[in-house]
Amino acid sequence: MRNNFIKAASAVLLLASVMAFHCSCSEDETTRVEYQGTFYLGVNLKDATCIYKSGELLCVLEPNSQIRGIAVMPDGCIYACGDILNIPENGGNALTSAPAIWKDGKRLDLDLGASGSMTGMVASGNSWICCGTLKGDDGEYGVIIEDGKVVYRSESDISFKCMDRGASGDCYVVTDENGKLSLRRISADNWELKTVDVIAADGSEGEWIPNCIHVGNADIAVGLTKFNRTTFESDAYFWLDDGRGIERIGNSSVASDITFYKGWLVVGGYKETVKKTPQYL
């Protein structure tokens, strides 16, 4: 069970393949570029969770922690969000998690509740913003947290999966409501809901899992994975808000991260190899 969580949370590291699709944000024809920059990675390994800067180990988080998002601030501070896994003894299946936010590898003392997970994070000026799903007496609900304070809460039975912030300052969050995926736009001025656009809904053929989102100057893209409950295999897709709907990327693959670059939609991810035995997939 723990390996499944590690695999999902390590997606940003496993950039085994990259595919590009032309989109409406520019007409530039760019097929190959060289990019130099500083990269920060949250790495969920078997025995430790670490943050790296361009290959240099910066810090190791507490045991059973999982990183879901990172924000690097102008002053150099590194924030991370995710959860702490409560792994049951004696091989039980009641795996739970508690939401967590770290600054430079140290967990912040925030009252986020005893159960849930933070799943996306961005830096915005001198502030950091993250989203996630918490569990209360009335069920699950999604939240947006800015600088440690909850500024938005959804209705019950809605979970927040990933987020980004547009040039206007508004937050765009991909939500899951009983298998129906939607894109919410939330005003940064008063933290009220502006719009809701349906992306996809689960069906008999599989379950939709949103992995990543990027808000560009003209387009919004979401990276999706369709999980087959029968074969335990995954296929990567992407969704654009330009009306074309969902398009398939490849079989036995997962979309891990997504962005726009000079008129191209670039999707990073990895290919899967599924080995089947009587007890293990």
Side-chain angles (χ1 to χ4, degrees):
M1 178 67 74
R2 177 174 170 82
N3 288 336
N4 291 335
F5 276 82
I6 291 173
K7 172 183 167 184
S10 302
V12 69
L13 179 65
L14 302 173
L15 300 180
S17 61
V18 176
M19 300 191 70
F21 306 85
H22 205 58
C23 63
S24 62
C25 46
S26 173
E27 294 299 327
D28 293 345
E29 294 291 338
T30 303
T31 57
R32 182 177 180 181
V33 297
E34 293 185 2
Y35 181 82
Q36 294 182 348
T38 302
F39 296 89
Y40 292 83
L41 295 176
V43 184
N44 301 303
L45 304 174
K46 182 178 180 181
D47 300 318
T49 300
C50 312
I51 296 178
Y52 284 85
K53 176 183 177 181
S54 296
E56 176 189 359
L57 177 62
L58 295 182
C59 54
V60 179
L61 305 188
E62 57 206 278
N64 298 329
S65 57
Q66 298 285 296
I67 292 180
R68 313 287 185 178
I70 289 179
V72 181
M73 308 306 295
D75 61 2
C77 292
I78 301 174
Y79 287 85
C81 72
D83 49 58
I84 307 294
L85 295 178
N86 177 21
I87 301 177
E89 299 179 355
N90 302 322
N93 294 322
L95 183 64
T96 60
S97 63
I101 299 174
W102 296 268
K103 177 182 179 181
D104 295 331
K106 303 297 183 181
R107 183 152 48 137
L108 299 181
D109 184 15
L110 300 175
D111 184 14
L112 301 178
S115 183
S117 177
M118 308 311 297
T119 52
M121 195 172 213
V122 295
S124 180
N126 293 318
S127 296
W128 56 267
I129 300 174
C130 64
C131 73
T133 304
L134 305 181
K135 294 181 180 179
D137 296 336
D138 55 348
E140 294 185 345
Y141 57 92
V143 295
I144 294 177
I145 297 175
E146 182 181 41
D147 295 334
K149 179 183 177 181
V150 176
V151 293
Y152 181 84
R153 171 176 170 162
S154 75
E155 311 90 294
S156 297
D157 299 326
I158 295 179
S159 57
F160 284 10
K161 297 300 185 181
C162 52
M163 69 170 295
D164 198 6
R165 201 164 198 183
S168 66
D170 290 350
C171 289
Y172 294 80
V173 184
V174 180
T175 69
D176 186 340
E177 182 179 5
N178 297 319
K180 182 179 74 173
L181 304 186
S182 300
L183 177 64
R184 292 191 172 206
R185 180 177 181 177
I186 301 168
S187 171
D189 295 329
N190 51 21
W191 296 108
E192 292 184 357
L193 180 64
K194 282 187 173 181
T195 60
V196 179
D197 296 312
V198 176
I199 296 176
D202 290 351
S204 58
E205 72 281 0
E207 172 187 356
W208 288 106
I209 302 172
N211 300 108
C212 47
I213 180 177
H214 181 74
V215 179
N217 294 327
D219 299 299
I220 300 173
V222 178
L224 304 166
T225 300
K226 179 180 279 189
F227 178 71
N228 190 306
R229 303 182 187 93
T230 302
T231 63
F232 294 93
E233 294 179 332
S234 302
D235 296 334
Y237 291 77
F238 69 87
W239 175 88
L240 285 174
D241 67 335
D242 61 356
R244 76 175 67 183
I246 296 175
E247 295 193 20
R248 188 171 188 165
I249 297 175
N251 299 332
S252 300
S253 56
V254 173
S256 304
D257 209 349
I258 198 166
T259 191
F260 296 112
Y261 186 82
K262 292 188 175 181
W264 290 90
L265 172 64
V266 182
V267 184
Y270 59 92
K271 298 283 291 183
E272 290 185 327
T273 299
V274 181
K275 296 181 180 180
K276 298 182 180 181
T277 68
Q279 290 82 28
Y280 177 75
L281 292 173

